[in-house]
Amino acid sequence: MKRLVYKDLLEWKESKDRKPLILKGVRQCGKTWILKEFGKNNYEDVAYFNFEGNEALQERFSQDLNVKRIIEELSILNNKIIKPEKTLIIFDEIQFCNKALTSLKYFYEDAPEYHIVCAGSLLGIFLSQPLSFPVGKVDFLELRPMNFYEFLLANDEEMLIEYLNNNIEKVPTTFENKLQNYLKNYYIVGGMPEVVEKWITTKDIEQVEKIQDIILNSYELDFAKHAPLSDTPKLSLIWDYIPRELSKENSKFVYGHVKQGARAKDLEDALQWLISAGMCYKVNKIQKPNIPISAYIDIQSFKIYMSDIGLLRRKAKVDASVILLDNKEIYKEFKGAIAENFVLLELLSLNKEVPFYWTSGNTAEVDFIWQLKDKVIPFEVKSGENIGSRSLTLYRQKYNPEISVKTSMKNVDVQDGVINIPLYLLWNLKKYLYLDNNINLC
């Protein structure tokens, strides 16, 4: 499957200032696969080493950090000579060996001719011992679950994507229906590569959900594996609460809703653990949309979203048929939550920065406030085709933003300074923002 990070890996390979690379990301998002695929296509050979439970491998780094000795011994373990610039060295699950992390500094300083890429969970890197981390001596990339653009690629829709890239006007009805159906499928399946592959090859939702359940169970096993024993019950409470919180009309995270009587000091460490593990994202409220936005954060008010839309759907126990058939009567409350979570993940894939949200007392709430270069852009999310928005109107009256965005199932539209971009075209957002004045809606 094609991943957008592949282009970044190619740029890393050709960089004159190349350092050992750490590809970090939530578990099961495809880090190992993409590194092996990259190595297979761009190097004479790949030397793959997995540190998890591999004492013989970890022993190679326990004596000293002499790069020449390490390479010689890794070549023996690899049963083939590791050649400078010709062999891609992959250190998988590097967080299980702190000295291997430290060694990256010496590879950078003493042997930059060796190309080294590492895969590690966000949590594992976060928990690595402070003295082991080679600050300033490594490059970073982050891999997330597949976004909707990558989902279309996985479904062999290159021609459709090319057409949409070259025509940013209204989407023809035939393509509009097709994209809406793909989006519903994406809501069901999500972006975990193994899940996507199973869906594409079988179209069997039962098999898809089995894999989703395995991933969700593996996440919960990580609670016991990595977190302090006393925090495990708290992690489970918060993890189980997220889908319930998102389905509420006011989805502001309240510690007391997770557990009756709980306060921030009781649960905030456990919540930060989940965020550091990449399992969820924290979207803070801002008091006003001035630059820099970070100066106007209200740290007491925030929302929590999950890192994968399919896992959110499965964890919330929303039956796939409800989404596919768009059963509004029993799905209407959670439909908005799925759309909001989807938009957050699409914005993250475009800008790599978590956006914010804005409220005005109890009278108005704008779902996302996104900074793009020197512009602060409000986003109002609608799950259907009804794009009326009193909140965005109040925001615009108050702050007069240069650009305002609504995103919904409605086709491309520009009215009174507000551009509506279909949910299924958010991956092309920047083109619409830069060219919105030239869109022909006739």
Side-chain angles (χ1 to χ4, degrees):
M1 285 184 280
K2 296 179 181 178
R3 302 299 307 268
L4 296 177
V5 77
Y6 196 91
K7 178 183 176 183
D8 298 319
L9 291 170
L10 288 173
E11 290 176 358
W12 169 82
K13 180 179 186 292
E14 300 302 324
S15 173
K16 294 179 180 178
D17 301 318
R18 184 188 58 257
K19 303 173 184 176
L21 175 70
I22 295 178
L23 182 64
K24 57 183 183 176
V26 68
R27 286 190 175 276
Q28 307 290 331
C29 70
K31 299 184 293 296
T32 301
W33 182 87
I34 194 64
L35 291 180
K36 286 183 174 180
E37 190 73 6
F38 169 67
K40 181 177 71 174
N41 295 334
N42 295 280
Y43 291 84
E44 289 182 6
D45 192 24
V46 175
Y48 173 81
F49 304 97
N50 190 326
F51 285 94
E52 185 173 10
N54 191 335
E55 293 183 7
L57 177 59
Q58 294 181 28
E59 179 68 21
R60 309 283 67 78
F61 295 84
S62 65
Q63 304 167 35
D64 56 50
L65 295 177
N66 182 290
V67 171
K68 182 179 178 182
R69 178 194 61 77
I70 290 173
I71 286 293
E72 289 175 353
E73 295 186 9
L74 290 180
S75 294
I76 293 171
L77 291 177
N78 188 50
N79 291 318
K80 191 183 292 187
I81 293 175
I82 294 174
K83 301 177 182 178
E85 299 184 349
K86 305 296 184 182
T87 302
L88 180 67
I89 303 170
I90 299 177
F91 288 160
D92 202 358
E93 303 290 1
I94 192 171
Q95 71 273 8
F96 285 96
C97 184
N98 284 299
K99 285 205 168 183
L101 265 174
T102 306
S103 76
L104 299 179
K105 170 186 176 182
Y106 300 97
F107 275 103
Y108 169 65
E109 293 176 346
D110 302 334
E113 66 273 19
Y114 289 99
H115 291 208
I116 300 176
V117 290
C118 311
S121 71
L122 282 168
L123 178 65
I125 300 300
F126 172 73
L127 293 176
S128 63
Q129 295 176 13
L131 293 178
S132 69
F133 200 83
V135 177
K137 307 298 181 180
V138 294
D139 292 323
F140 281 104
L141 286 174
E142 184 171 349
L143 186 65
R144 296 184 175 92
M146 299 169 71
N147 63 14
F148 187 59
Y149 177 91
E150 292 172 315
F151 185 75
L152 291 175
L153 286 176
N155 281 276
D156 295 325
E157 290 291 359
E158 287 91 347
M159 290 181 64
L160 175 59
I161 288 171
E162 183 177 0
Y163 172 84
L164 294 170
N165 279 332
N166 294 327
N167 298 272
I168 64 164
E169 300 169 0
K170 277 200 169 183
V171 180
T173 302
T174 302
F175 294 160
E176 185 180 15
N177 293 336
K178 188 175 189 179
L179 287 162
Q180 287 179 354
N181 287 331
Y182 269 130
L183 184 59
K184 289 178 182 178
N185 288 340
Y186 183 72
Y187 283 174
I188 293 166
V189 174
M192 288 299 186
E194 187 180 0
V195 181
V196 174
E197 184 177 23
K198 182 61 68 175
W199 170 251
I200 290 171
T201 56
T202 69
K203 295 297 188 292
D204 185 335
I205 191 60
E206 186 176 353
Q207 292 192 47
V208 163
E209 291 183 340
K210 281 182 180 178
I211 298 174
Q212 288 174 327
D213 288 342
I214 289 170
I215 294 173
L216 287 169
N217 289 336
S218 73
Y219 282 3
E220 297 200 35
L221 287 172
D222 276 348
F223 297 167
K225 189 174 183 180
H226 295 292
L229 186 61
S230 60
D231 284 349
T232 302
K234 301 175 189 177
L235 290 166
S236 296
L237 282 171
I238 297 173
W239 183 236
D240 291 340
Y241 171 69
I242 293 173
R244 301 201 307 273
E245 177 231 343
L246 284 173
S247 64
K248 295 177 181 177
E249 186 173 348
N250 179 4
S251 55
K252 172 187 171 183
F253 189 92
V254 179
Y255 288 104
H257 292 170
V258 178
K259 183 180 179 181
Q260 189 172 3
R263 291 178 292 178
K265 67 176 184 178
D266 303 316
L267 297 174
E268 60 186 352
D269 287 348
L271 176 59
Q272 185 57 51
W273 192 98
L274 293 170
I275 296 168
S276 298
M279 295 165 65
C280 60
Y281 294 103
K282 182 180 183 180
V283 175
N284 284 102
K285 174 185 169 182
I286 57 165
Q287 296 163 333
K288 56 183 178 180
N290 289 0
I291 293 176
I293 295 182
S294 57
Y296 301 94
I297 292 175
D298 176 358
I299 62 173
Q300 302 298 325
S301 301
F302 57 90
K303 299 180 181 182
I304 298 295
Y305 297 88
M306 283 182 60
S307 61
D308 180 73
I309 201 74
L311 295 183
L312 169 63
R313 192 274 310 174
R314 182 59 177 160
K315 187 160 184 57
K317 295 181 170 46
V318 175
D319 193 87
S321 64
V322 173
I323 294 177
L324 196 61
L325 301 175
D326 202 13
N327 192 328
K328 295 181 176 62
E329 292 306 312
I330 61 175
Y331 172 47
K332 59 183 178 181
E333 291 182 355
F334 199 67
K335 188 176 182 179
I338 284 188
E340 268 191 50
N341 208 131
F342 169 77
V343 171
L344 169 68
L345 299 177
E346 292 294 293
L347 293 178
L348 274 169
S349 70
L350 287 169
N351 208 34
K352 298 180 174 55
E353 296 287 340
V354 179
F356 306 87
Y357 77 101
W358 172 87
T359 66
S360 177
N362 295 320
T363 61
E365 179 176 311
V366 175
D367 297 308
F368 297 109
I369 306 295
W370 195 54
Q371 184 174 340
L372 181 64
K373 297 183 178 179
D374 63 338
K375 295 179 174 60
V376 178
I377 305 170
F379 279 77
E380 186 71 10
V381 180
K382 298 294 181 182
S383 58
E385 294 190 0
N386 179 7
I387 62 171
S389 174
R390 179 173 173 273
S391 294
L392 186 59
T393 299
L394 289 173
Y395 177 96
R396 295 181 71 231
Q397 290 172 352
K398 188 175 181 68
Y399 297 110
N400 192 31
E402 182 180 344
I403 299 173
S404 298
V405 176
K406 291 179 184 176
T407 181
S408 66
M409 282 294 194
K410 187 176 179 181
N411 212 323
V412 181
D413 186 31
V414 179
Q415 290 184 3
D416 300 326
V418 179
I419 178 170
N420 183 79
I421 302 173
L423 290 160
Y424 49 78
L425 285 183
L426 279 176
W427 50 268
N428 225 358
L429 173 65
K430 291 183 180 179
K431 281 193 176 182
Y432 285 99
L433 295 181
Y434 295 146
L435 303 174
D436 60 338
N437 292 328
N438 298 320
I439 295 175
N440 180 4
L441 299 175
C442 299

